[in-house]
């Protein structure tokens, strides 16, 4: 099943290694065989899954569109914006620095359920490709809670956050 999103709160050493890899296939292999395995088995408190909700989450927090640079900082960095570590079309790997993570963590408490609801229901259904609905809003809001909590923990520990999704 594709399009499943996960945020990982990585250490500086993990990011240095990931950045040092010579090409996209090496970075993807490292993500799939090292980062995912390690974080799903041993460090589940440093990951936040978002399933397929990341699409609506990004649109609600950015400008309603699925773009890399739309919307305003820092909320547009929660999901897509950031340093792209993989440029092929089959995967997304977007890294946020500890400074960006702190900025995001500082901004997220203002995103209350009524505010998120307002932004979610402003998404253009035609460009989203799915019905805008109470069920989808609830699904997206529920997954957002874990992402928000991860940013708070990562900010306190000075970690990077890597958003990933298979396409």
């Amino acid at each position: 099943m594709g399009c499943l999103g996960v945020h990982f709160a990585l250490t500086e050493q993990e990011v240095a290694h990931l950045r040092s890899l010579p090409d996209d296939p090496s970075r993807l292999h490292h993500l799939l065989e090292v980062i995912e395995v390690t974080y799903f088995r041993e460090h589940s408190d440093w990951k936040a899954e978002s399933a397929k909700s990341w699409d609506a989450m990004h649109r609600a927090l950015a400008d309603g569109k699925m773009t890399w640079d739309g919307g305003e900082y820092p909320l547009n960095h929660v999901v897509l914006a950031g340093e792209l570590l993989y440029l092929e079309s089959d995967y997304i790997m977007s890294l946020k620095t500890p400074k960006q993570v702190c900025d995001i963590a500082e901004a997220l408490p203002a995103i209350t359920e009524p505010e998120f609801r307002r932004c979610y229901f402003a998404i253009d259904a035609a460009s989203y490709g799915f019905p805008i609905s109470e069920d989808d809003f609830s699904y997206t809001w529920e997954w957002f809670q874990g992402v928000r909590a991860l940013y708070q923990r990562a900010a306190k520990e000075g970690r990077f956050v890597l958003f990933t999704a298979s396409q």
Side-chain angles (χ1 to χ4, degrees), residues 9 28 36 60 73 80 86-87 90 96 117 124 150-151:
L28 182 59
E36 284 189 359
Y73 180 83
L80 284 184
Y86 186 81
L87 302 176
D90 61 330
K96 294 78 167 96
R117 174 181 296 281
D124 176 56
L150 180 71
Y151 272 107

Side-chain angles (χ1 to χ4, degrees), residues 21 35-36 40-41 48 58 61 87-88 95 124 130 155 163-164:
L21 296 170
I35 294 171
E36 284 189 359
F40 274 86
R41 289 184 184 165
H58 174 73
L61 296 171
L87 302 176
E88 301 299 323
L95 184 69
D124 176 56
F130 298 99
F163 170 71
T164 67

Side-chain angles (χ1 to χ4, degrees), residues 10 36 42 44 61 91 110 132:
L10 303 178
E36 284 189 359
E42 301 170 22
S44 61
L61 296 171
Y91 232 87
I132 301 295

